[in-house]
């Protein structure tokens, strides 16, 4: 009897241990999670985008006339003084080459002009001969009139004929000079280009700096023929820098003039500060890197730091700008990593004892890291961060050990 009882006891113990093992194995285990608390404190919301620096007033110096531009001796960064520093020199352009047709037309124009000049000379000689006759006739009539051999009307007709002859000579001489000018003009069409010929000093057009500052950019440097209005040099005062940030229009409407700005990734060790001066009222279309059309608005920002802090920045340098659009001092907030969508609303998992409880919350301002809580949870409550698909309403949880 003793052996049978012992066997039964051992068997029962083994069966009990086996049942206990399976019960323990299939019991739900707590899910390890990261936790965070709802808290109160200051909250700031920023609009972030890339920007670039530019000189406040950039002056583009252009060619005042069409001509041959000599090589510009200025370099980028050179200091210039208004109305004194020479920027560029322009020479008259050389005449162009004539092809066979152009040369034939030029020779024909010379022949026509010379023929017209010969005709004008003949008309001048005819006018001079008529003048000589009119003078002789007038002298004879005057002598007869003194002896009363001719009437007063005959004398007046002789004087009128003399005046007409003098005017005709003057007209013929003027016509001859005009035809001589036409010959010179026609012969000028045959002038060939003469490379390297020296220009008269009075023919050189000089261009000086319109303002004091530095050369920002050389748009033309080598010698070449330029037309009037061709940009040559850009000049500006590098000490008067501003930052331009092109924001999406939906972000730009949140920005107010005077809003504080922080600049990062500009090359210095510490961020720079600035203040919004202007939100431009005109938007423009810009194609994004993904080929999407976006409506953008330029926001102009001034530095509030001493110039010594940002003196290494120049025209067209890139910066990252964070523009503050909202700030609250005592704001109930939670980490955005605790939020998820549930049936079209924001929700969180609140820790109740050792279980997770799903709670619908109402969110206000959001800066990407922290979100303002309007309804749903209170100060000091603990939430589950980055809930995975293993987390559901009522599931057992435990804080993950670091």
């Amino acid at each position: 009897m003793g052996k049978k009882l012992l066997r039964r006891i051992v068997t029962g113990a083994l069966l009990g241990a086996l049942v206990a093992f399976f019960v323990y194995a299939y019991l739900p285990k707590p899910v390890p999670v990261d936790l965070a608390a709802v808290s109160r404190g200051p909250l700031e919301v920023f609009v972030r985008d890339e920007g670039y620096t530019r000189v406040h007033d950039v002056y583009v110096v252009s060619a005042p006339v069409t001509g041959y531009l000599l090589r510009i001796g200025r370099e980028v960064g050179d200091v210039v003084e208004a109305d004194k520093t020479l920027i560029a020199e322009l020479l008259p352009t050389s005449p162009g080459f004539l092809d066979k047709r152009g040369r034939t037309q030029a020779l024909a124009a010379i022949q026509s002009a010379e023929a017209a000049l010969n005709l004008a000379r003949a008309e001048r000689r005819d006018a001079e001969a008529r003048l000589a006759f009119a003078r002789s006739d007038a002298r004879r009539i005057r002598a007869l009139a003194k002896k009363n051999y001719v009437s007063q009307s005959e004398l007046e007709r002789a004087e009128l004929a003399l005046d007409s002859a003098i005017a005709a000579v003057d007209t013929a001489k003027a016509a001859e000079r005009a035809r001589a000018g036409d010959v010179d003009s026609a012969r000028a069409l045959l002038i060939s280009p003469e490379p390297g010929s020296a220009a008269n000093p009075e023919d050189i057009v000089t261009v000086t700096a319109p303002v004091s500052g530095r050369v920002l950019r050389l748009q033309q440097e080598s010698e070449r023929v330029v037309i009037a209005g061709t940009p040559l040099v850009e000049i500006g005062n590098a000490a008067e820098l501003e930052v331009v940030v092109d924001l999406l229009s939906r972000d730009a409407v949140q920005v107010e003039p005077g809003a504080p700005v922080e600049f990062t990734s500009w090359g210095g060790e510490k961020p720079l500060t600035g203040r919004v001066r202007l939100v431009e009222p005109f938007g423009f279309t810009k194609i994004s890197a993904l080929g999407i059309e976006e409506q953008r608005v330029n926001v102009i920002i001034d530095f509030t730091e001493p110039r010594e802090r940002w003196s290494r920045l120049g025209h067209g340098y890139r910066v990252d700008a964070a523009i503050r659009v909202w700030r609250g001092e005592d704001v109930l907030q939670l980490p955005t990593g605790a939020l998820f969508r549930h049936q079209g609303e924001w929700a969180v998992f609140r820790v109740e004892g050792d279980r997770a409880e799903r709670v619908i919350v109402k969110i206000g301002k959001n800066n990407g890291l922290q979100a303002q809580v309007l309804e749903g949870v209170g100060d000091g409550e603990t939430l589950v961060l980055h809930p995975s698909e293993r987390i559901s309403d009522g599931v057992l949880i435990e804080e993950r050990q670091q």
Side-chain angles (χ1 to χ4, degrees):
M1 290 294 295
K3 292 182 177 181
K4 290 183 179 181
L5 181 59
L6 180 61
R7 188 180 298 115
R8 289 176 180 177
I9 292 173
V10 172
T11 303
L14 291 174
L15 290 174
L18 184 61
V19 170
F21 170 77
F22 279 105
V23 170
Y24 177 78
Y26 285 96
L27 280 176
K29 294 182 179 180
V31 178
V33 295
D34 295 320
L35 304 178
V38 181
S39 61
R40 284 188 174 274
L43 179 65
E44 296 180 329
V45 179
F46 294 89
V47 173
R48 302 176 186 274
D49 213 322
E50 292 183 358
Y52 63 92
T53 60
R54 73 179 183 188
V55 172
H56 186 274
D57 293 312
V58 177
Y59 293 84
V60 179
V61 182
S62 302
V65 295
T66 299
Y68 186 81
L69 174 68
L70 297 180
R71 184 176 179 85
I72 296 177
R74 298 295 160 189
E75 299 291 341
V76 173
D78 285 356
V79 177
V80 296
E81 188 175 354
D83 301 325
K84 293 184 179 180
T85 305
L86 178 65
I87 298 297
E89 292 181 313
L90 291 161
L91 304 180
T93 56
S94 299
F97 288 100
L98 292 176
D99 56 12
K100 186 175 182 180
R101 176 185 298 175
R103 180 170 290 276
T104 301
Q105 291 175 338
L107 291 173
I110 292 174
Q111 292 177 355
S112 176
E114 289 176 343
L117 176 60
N118 292 332
L119 176 61
R121 287 171 177 170
E123 291 175 348
R124 188 256 304 165
R125 289 194 296 271
D126 179 68
E128 290 175 344
R130 291 178 181 275
L131 174 61
F133 175 79
R135 283 175 176 167
S136 176
D137 190 47
R139 284 194 300 270
R140 185 172 60 256
I141 297 297
R142 291 190 194 108
L144 294 175
K146 288 179 180 180
K147 298 178 181 181
N148 294 324
Y149 291 153
V150 295
S151 65
Q152 185 65 26
S153 61
E154 287 292 331
L155 177 61
E156 291 176 352
R157 278 195 293 273
E159 296 290 348
L160 176 61
L162 177 60
D163 292 340
S164 298
I166 293 174
V169 171
D170 292 339
T171 301
K173 289 181 178 180
E176 183 181 3
R177 288 194 296 269
R179 298 297 176 264
D182 291 342
V183 172
D184 293 338
S185 177
R187 287 173 178 170
L189 295 176
L190 289 176
I191 297 176
S192 301
E194 298 179 5
S197 58
N200 295 325
E202 60 270 15
D203 295 334
I204 299 177
V205 176
T206 60
V207 181
T208 57
V211 294
S212 298
R214 289 181 178 271
V215 177
L216 302 177
R217 182 183 177 191
L218 294 178
Q219 297 202 12
Q220 306 291 335
E221 186 174 2
S222 300
E223 295 187 0
R224 52 166 295 189
V225 175
V226 295
I227 62 174
T230 301
L232 304 178
V233 175
E234 291 183 8
I235 297 175
N237 187 354
E240 299 178 355
L241 276 186
E242 62 186 12
V243 177
V244 181
V245 181
D246 55 335
L247 297 178
L248 292 171
S249 58
R250 64 171 178 266
D251 293 332
V253 296
Q254 305 177 50
V255 178
E256 295 286 345
V261 184
E262 183 177 84
F263 300 110
T264 57
S265 300
W266 63 277
E269 297 180 356
K270 296 181 180 180
L272 297 173
T273 58
R275 194 166 297 279
V276 174
R277 174 163 51 86
L278 173 68
V279 179
E280 291 187 352
F282 180 80
F284 57 93
T285 302
K286 183 178 180 180
I287 307 299
S288 70
L290 299 178
I292 301 173
E293 287 190 358
E294 299 174 339
Q295 285 303 116
R296 294 272 177 170
V297 176
N298 283 335
V299 176
I300 313 302
I301 306 166
D302 293 326
F303 289 105
T304 55
E305 300 272 359
R307 186 174 183 273
E308 293 73 20
R309 286 286 317 279
W310 49 268
S311 60
R312 299 300 299 274
L313 289 174
H315 183 72
Y317 285 37
R318 174 191 171 278
V319 297
D320 287 341
I323 306 172
R324 193 175 75 190
V325 296
W326 184 86
R327 177 182 172 84
E329 295 298 335
D330 187 23
V331 180
L332 184 65
Q333 55 191 284
L334 56 79
T336 55
L339 294 169
F340 62 93
R341 300 294 287 179
H342 177 70
Q343 296 180 354
E345 296 182 292
W346 288 112
V348 296
F349 282 115
R350 179 173 56 192
V351 177
E352 290 292 339
D354 58 354
R355 295 183 181 274
E357 178 186 5
R358 184 172 58 241
V359 179
I360 301 299
V361 294
K362 188 175 180 180
I363 299 301
K365 300 294 183 179
N366 188 336
N367 65 7
L369 297 177
Q370 297 289 121
Q372 181 187 21
V373 180
L374 301 179
E375 294 178 6
V377 293
D379 187 14
E381 293 186 322
T382 305
L383 308 178
V384 176
L385 278 178
H386 311 293
S388 66
E389 68 279 358
R390 297 174 61 190
I391 308 298
S392 59
D393 192 19
V395 72
L396 285 171
I397 57 174
E398 64 177 0
E399 186 172 7
R400 179 179 286 111
Q401 300 299 320
Q402 300 297 329

